Amino acid sequence: MFVVKNAWRNVIRNKGRNILVAIIVAIIAAAATIGLAIRQAADNARETGLENSTITAQISFDRSKAISEISSQTSDSSSSDSDSSGRPDFDAMRESLEGKQLTLADYEKYAKASSAVKSTYYTQTSSVNETDDFQPVEDSSSSAATSSSDSDSSSTDTNSNTAQPNDGGQQPGGDMGGDQAGGRGGMGGMMQSSGDFSLIGFSSDEAVANAANGTFTMSSGEVFGYDSDSDGDVIISKELADFNGLKVGDTFTVENVSDEDTTYTLTIVGIYENTSDSTGQMGGPMRSTSSDPANAIYTSVSTLAKLGLDSDSTLETTDSNGDTTERAAAQLSYTYVFSGKDDYETFVKDVAKAGLSDDYTVSSTDVEQYESSLVPLDNLSQFALTLLLIVLGVGAVVIVVITLFNVRERKYEVGVLTAIGVKKVKVAAQFTFELLVVTMIGLAIGVAGGAAASVPVSNQLLSAQVAQQESQASSQNAQFGRDMQGPGAPGGASSNDSSSDSADTSNSDSNSDGNTGNAANGGAQTPANGRQQGGPGGMMTRAVDYVSTVNATVNLKVVGQLLLIGLGLTLVAALVAVVFVMRYEPLQILADRS
């Protein structure tokens, strides 16, 4: 009790010095409060931002990895062959990449392998050619380009007008892209003829609601059914219907891209209007008309199967050398839907256990986009950590120096106390208690100030980080004198043309029931999770919309961390006092004083 009373009297008596220490501690505490609040907000955003949000994912063949491995093997083989010219073995590489696409049965097997899957949907995209009575929407330039290619047999188009998916199964040009329905098809090297029309089969209303064509509204009729009773039913764009003078209930005929003698008769049950203008997405006269959203013909996968144009069917194609090969009649894009990020991560583990090869990857555009939106917040979190360490280091040094001078100034007091029988341990405890009281007072003031300032200061700093990120993008764009075109952006469209909020996106819910109602009643069809894409099968062209506000509030966890910081500063400074007190000899101190 003597130690406590004496320590408190010294706290009151030495007001100036203790107020200085309290101010220093308050400044440290305020900075630490803001820094810890920012870091906690960043962690919460990363951990819970997609916790209860619908997430879509796809399985895709990692073609880049496969090519690298094949190239490495070819190089090793060439180095041991003295007669080798050093050129890549293109035939061997093509043979190694052939047949890597997953089938519908494979995708369904992995869907059943994990209980984390909420739902699935898929699209199958094929191509068909025009007939004399049914023509694609096109201008005179594209018509001339198309007619010149159509003058030969359709089979030769496979060699001149093909598109190969990239690593994720997406098409660079967007003609028959693997990113149908917001997902990557993972077709792993499949060749597709462009044709004059994209004939896209959907598995469900959920797939229609997530059409790669973007948002659209039924202007007349209704969406087709998905069972065999609706085979042959299609919906077409209003532009295409007006161009050919067709209406709901009419029929039209299209040709097989590989055999002009094979035709298909389809019935129009609905006409839709694209929300965005399709003319800006055509990409010039050399681009296939099938890439124009106006020339997308929507139907069910059941119809494709009946026509023999589904992914399980094959078509024979002949290249310019007269060699005949077989290819899949349609490109498959399969999408898995999850209730949150935890389910998505569980699915990744489950499919690996189910035997998914390392040649394939599971990816989610939703997760990637959300993580991209967190870049400024992550940078701010790292800045907050650096600032916190600097403040704590400088503050600890200042407090230690003040404590050192305090002990030296009270050297005579230490000598008297120890001379009258007070143990050095109790004297050291008195100095420690004094410092603890002052530190806790300063800590309380600093926490209060930091808590009040954490949200506005954090958002101000975050806004600066966002502005810096956007400035870097603008600087890159300025090098080209225009907005940079994202990979595969159709028709030269800027990647900024279809931006949306990633933070809001992560909280959206695309359940199939709601989408069914919209599709059946002619409501606007919105891509899942706010995604918006170019043409039918076109690649995604959206800009990252960074998280620009954060709720950096102070909770019990932050307060607990601040208490530990305060105790740490106290112990470090008190250790200096203890060392000096234990070194002092009372008789020598009193002798020097006299």
Side-chain angles (χ1 to χ4, degrees):
M1 184 60 68
F2 167 77
V3 172
V4 174
K5 289 182 178 180
N6 199 41
W8 179 250
R9 281 197 295 268
N10 279 290
V11 169
I12 301 300
R13 183 168 56 246
N14 300 315
K15 293 181 180 179
R17 181 176 58 247
N18 292 328
I19 289 175
L20 177 61
V21 174
I23 291 175
I24 294 174
V25 172
I27 295 173
I28 295 173
T33 300
I34 296 174
L36 291 173
I38 291 173
R39 289 187 59 79
Q40 178 180 258
D43 292 340
N44 289 341
R46 181 168 296 278
E47 294 174 2
T48 64
L50 296 175
E51 192 174 54
N52 299 314
S53 303
T54 299
I55 292 177
T56 59
Q58 301 78 35
I59 299 177
S60 56
F61 174 58
D62 193 346
R63 195 170 65 177
S64 177
K65 175 184 175 183
I67 291 176
S68 297
E69 292 177 350
I70 298 169
S71 299
S72 177
Q73 294 173 2
T74 303
S75 299
D76 294 340
S77 175
S78 299
S79 62
S80 61
D81 186 359
S82 59
D83 296 333
S84 174
S85 63
R87 295 178 57 189
D89 189 346
F90 296 112
D91 292 335
M93 295 181 71
R94 291 191 182 98
E95 184 177 352
S96 299
L97 294 174
E98 186 178 359
K100 294 296 184 179
Q101 62 268 22
L102 296 179
T103 64
L104 179 59
D106 293 329
Y107 286 115
E108 291 176 341
K109 179 187 74 172
Y110 293 123
K112 296 176 182 178
S114 177
S115 59
V117 178
K118 176 183 177 183
S119 63
T120 61
Y121 60 85
Y122 63 95
T123 61
Q124 295 182 353
T125 305
S126 186
S127 296
V128 289
N129 279 341
E130 65 181 28
T131 61
D132 293 338
D133 296 328
F134 187 68
Q135 301 284 314
V137 177
E138 57 187 350
D139 56 28
S140 57
S141 299
S142 59
S143 177
T146 304
S147 61
S148 64
S149 62
D150 288 344
S151 61
D152 299 327
S153 64
S154 300
S155 59
T156 59
D157 288 342
T158 309
N159 187 57
S160 60
N161 289 325
T162 55
Q164 278 187 305
N166 60 10
D167 300 343
Q170 292 173 327
Q171 302 278 11
D175 289 349
M176 295 296 299
D179 202 16
Q180 291 291 349
R184 286 183 263 187
M187 298 308 296
M190 184 177 69
M191 305 288 286
Q192 276 285 18
S193 173
S194 60
D196 297 313
F197 303 96
S198 294
L199 184 60
I200 307 173
F202 295 88
S203 63
S204 63
D205 280 338
E206 186 175 12
V208 174
N210 293 282
N213 199 21
T215 57
F216 66 88
T217 302
M218 297 299 298
S219 61
S220 61
E222 61 183 10
V223 175
F224 44 81
Y226 302 97
D227 53 19
S228 58
D229 294 337
S230 300
D231 286 349
D233 293 347
V234 300
I235 62 174
I236 63 175
S237 69
K238 189 175 186 302
E239 290 178 76
L240 184 59
D242 291 344
F243 192 82
N244 288 275
L246 298 174
K247 61 183 183 300
V248 173
D250 290 343
T251 61
F252 62 89
T253 303
V254 290
E255 289 182 359
N256 185 293
V257 294
S258 299
D259 182 7
E260 60 183 10
D261 294 329
T262 302
T263 59
Y264 312 102
T265 300
L266 304 173
T267 302
I268 302 173
V269 296
I271 297 176
Y272 67 86
E273 290 187 69
N274 286 313
T275 302
S276 57
D277 183 13
S278 65
T279 57
Q281 303 181 28
M282 293 183 63
M286 297 308 295
R287 191 175 179 87
S288 169
T289 56
S290 64
S291 65
D292 189 337
N295 294 322
I297 303 173
Y298 289 169
T299 186
S300 65
V301 292
S302 177
T303 295
L304 290 185
K306 182 179 180 181
L307 299 178
L309 295 177
D310 61 335
S311 59
D312 292 333
S313 302
T314 58
L315 294 176
E316 288 189 354
T317 59
T318 304
D319 60 21
S320 57
N321 297 323
D323 297 329
T324 301
T325 58
E326 287 189 350
R327 63 172 176 83
Q331 180 167 311
L332 172 64
S333 175
Y334 200 96
T335 301
Y336 302 89
V337 183
F338 308 95
S339 298
K341 187 178 179 181
D342 290 342
D343 288 343
Y344 163 69
E345 293 174 346
T346 300
F347 175 75
V348 174
K349 299 176 182 177
D350 289 343
V351 294
K353 294 178 181 178
L356 182 65
S357 170
D358 293 339
D359 293 335
Y360 298 87
T361 59
V362 181
S363 60
S364 172
T365 304
D366 301 311
V367 174
E368 293 170 358
Q369 288 174 348
Y370 186 71
E371 290 180 348
S372 296
S373 73
L374 294 179
V375 169
L377 185 57
D378 290 338
N379 292 341
L380 181 59
S381 176
Q382 187 62 37
F383 170 76
L385 176 61
T386 303
L387 179 63
L388 178 62
L389 294 176
I390 293 175
V391 169
L392 290 179
V394 174
V397 171
V398 173
I399 293 177
V400 167
V401 171
I402 293 177
T403 302
L404 176 61
F405 280 109
N406 182 32
V407 174
R408 291 176 64 86
E409 288 177 2
R410 297 168 60 185
K411 185 176 180 181
Y412 181 72
E413 178 185 344
V414 173
V416 172
L417 291 175
T418 53
I420 63 177
V422 179
K423 295 182 179 181
K424 290 183 178 181
V425 174
K426 289 187 176 181
V427 176
Q430 174 184 320
F431 279 92
T432 302
F433 184 76
E434 291 177 19
L435 186 59
L436 181 62
V437 170
V438 176
T439 301
M440 290 299 105
I441 293 174
L443 187 66
I445 297 174
V447 170
S454 60
V455 174
V457 171
S458 299
N459 287 327
Q460 184 66 30
L461 294 174
L462 183 58
S463 297
Q465 287 289 334
V466 171
Q468 181 180 2
Q469 291 291 326
E470 293 175 344
S471 176
Q472 291 177 356
S474 299
S475 298
Q476 292 177 344
N477 293 339
Q479 295 176 0
F480 296 87
R482 56 174 170 77
D483 288 343
M484 293 177 61
Q485 178 176 320
S494 167
S495 61
N496 294 325
D497 289 343
S498 56
S499 62
S500 58
D501 194 343
S502 296
D504 295 337
T505 291
S506 64
N507 295 320
S508 64
D509 189 3
S510 57
N511 61 75
S512 58
D513 295 336
N515 292 334
T516 300
N518 287 340
N521 296 302
Q525 306 301 306
T526 305
N529 294 335
R531 287 188 299 273
Q532 195 162 4
Q533 294 155 304
M539 289 184 64
M540 183 177 308
T541 57
R542 67 169 288 174
V544 176
D545 196 351
Y546 299 112
V547 173
S548 57
T549 59
V550 63
N551 188 22
T553 55
V554 177
N555 56 18
L556 292 178
K557 181 180 179 181
V558 174
V559 173
Q561 292 172 333
L562 291 170
L563 286 175
L564 292 177
I565 291 175
L567 291 175
L569 292 175
T570 301
L571 291 177
V572 170
L575 182 61
V576 176
V578 170
V579 170
F580 275 83
V581 169
M582 299 302 289
R583 289 176 55 191
Y584 288 154
E585 293 296 334
L587 296 180
Q588 184 63 40
I589 292 174
L590 295 177
D592 292 342
R593 178 76 173 186
S594 62

Short mmCIF file of all heavy atoms in Angstrom, two decimals, residues 477 482-495:
data_model
loop_
_atom_site.label_atom_id
_atom_site.label_comp_id
_atom_site.label_asym_id
_atom_site.label_seq_id
_atom_site.Cartn_x
_atom_site.Cartn_y
_atom_site.Cartn_z
N ASN A 477 -3.36 4.61 -69.93
CA ASN A 477 -4.23 4.93 -71.05
C ASN A 477 -3.69 6.09 -71.88
O ASN A 477 -3.82 6.14 -73.09
CB ASN A 477 -5.64 5.27 -70.55
CG ASN A 477 -6.34 4.06 -69.94
OD1 ASN A 477 -5.98 2.93 -70.23
ND2 ASN A 477 -7.33 4.32 -69.11
N ARG A 482 -5.88 6.85 -75.60
CA ARG A 482 -7.26 6.40 -75.49
C ARG A 482 -7.34 5.44 -74.33
O ARG A 482 -6.33 5.04 -73.76
CB ARG A 482 -7.70 5.69 -76.77
CG ARG A 482 -6.80 4.52 -77.15
CD ARG A 482 -7.32 3.75 -78.33
NE ARG A 482 -6.35 2.79 -78.84
CZ ARG A 482 -6.07 1.62 -78.29
NH1 ARG A 482 -6.67 1.27 -77.16
NH2 ARG A 482 -5.18 0.80 -78.81
N ASP A 483 -8.57 5.04 -73.99
CA ASP A 483 -8.74 4.02 -72.97
C ASP A 483 -8.19 2.71 -73.49
O ASP A 483 -8.43 2.32 -74.63
CB ASP A 483 -10.23 3.84 -72.62
CG ASP A 483 -10.75 5.02 -71.83
OD1 ASP A 483 -9.90 5.76 -71.30
OD2 ASP A 483 -11.98 5.18 -71.74
N MET A 484 -7.47 2.01 -72.63
CA MET A 484 -6.90 0.73 -73.04
C MET A 484 -8.00 -0.30 -73.19
O MET A 484 -8.91 -0.37 -72.38
CB MET A 484 -5.87 0.25 -72.00
CG MET A 484 -4.64 1.11 -71.91
SD MET A 484 -3.53 0.55 -70.62
CE MET A 484 -3.14 -1.10 -71.21
N GLN A 485 -7.90 -1.09 -74.24
CA GLN A 485 -8.90 -2.13 -74.49
C GLN A 485 -8.55 -3.37 -73.71
O GLN A 485 -7.42 -3.85 -73.78
CB GLN A 485 -8.95 -2.44 -75.98
CG GLN A 485 -9.94 -3.55 -76.33
CD GLN A 485 -10.00 -3.72 -77.82
OE1 GLN A 485 -9.99 -2.75 -78.55
NE2 GLN A 485 -10.09 -4.95 -78.28
N GLY A 486 -9.50 -3.88 -72.95
CA GLY A 486 -9.27 -5.11 -72.22
C GLY A 486 -9.12 -6.27 -73.16
O GLY A 486 -9.54 -6.21 -74.31
N PRO A 487 -8.49 -7.35 -72.70
CA PRO A 487 -8.30 -8.50 -73.57
C PRO A 487 -9.63 -9.03 -74.08
O PRO A 487 -10.52 -9.33 -73.31
CB PRO A 487 -7.60 -9.52 -72.66
CG PRO A 487 -7.86 -9.05 -71.28
CD PRO A 487 -8.04 -7.59 -71.35
N GLY A 488 -9.74 -9.07 -75.39
CA GLY A 488 -10.95 -9.61 -75.97
C GLY A 488 -12.11 -8.66 -76.00
O GLY A 488 -13.24 -9.03 -76.28
N ALA A 489 -11.89 -7.38 -75.67
CA ALA A 489 -13.00 -6.44 -75.70
C ALA A 489 -13.51 -6.32 -77.11
O ALA A 489 -12.79 -5.94 -78.02
CB ALA A 489 -12.54 -5.08 -75.18
N PRO A 490 -14.76 -6.64 -77.35
CA PRO A 490 -15.27 -6.70 -78.71
C PRO A 490 -15.37 -5.33 -79.35
O PRO A 490 -15.79 -4.37 -78.74
CB PRO A 490 -16.66 -7.33 -78.54
CG PRO A 490 -17.05 -7.02 -77.14
CD PRO A 490 -15.78 -6.97 -76.36
N GLY A 491 -14.99 -5.29 -80.59
CA GLY A 491 -15.18 -4.07 -81.37
C GLY A 491 -14.42 -2.88 -80.87
O GLY A 491 -14.80 -1.75 -81.09
N GLY A 492 -13.30 -3.12 -80.18
CA GLY A 492 -12.53 -2.01 -79.66
C GLY A 492 -13.19 -1.34 -78.49
O GLY A 492 -12.83 -0.25 -78.12
N ALA A 493 -14.19 -1.97 -77.87
CA ALA A 493 -14.86 -1.36 -76.74
C ALA A 493 -13.91 -1.26 -75.58
O ALA A 493 -13.15 -2.15 -75.29
CB ALA A 493 -16.09 -2.18 -76.35
N SER A 494 -13.95 -0.15 -74.90
CA SER A 494 -13.09 0.03 -73.74
C SER A 494 -13.53 -0.84 -72.60
O SER A 494 -14.69 -1.13 -72.42
CB SER A 494 -13.13 1.51 -73.29
OG SER A 494 -12.55 1.65 -72.03
N SER A 495 -12.54 -1.26 -71.81
CA SER A 495 -12.86 -2.07 -70.64
C SER A 495 -13.60 -1.27 -69.60
O SER A 495 -14.15 -1.80 -68.66
CB SER A 495 -11.58 -2.64 -70.01
OG SER A 495 -10.73 -1.59 -69.59
#
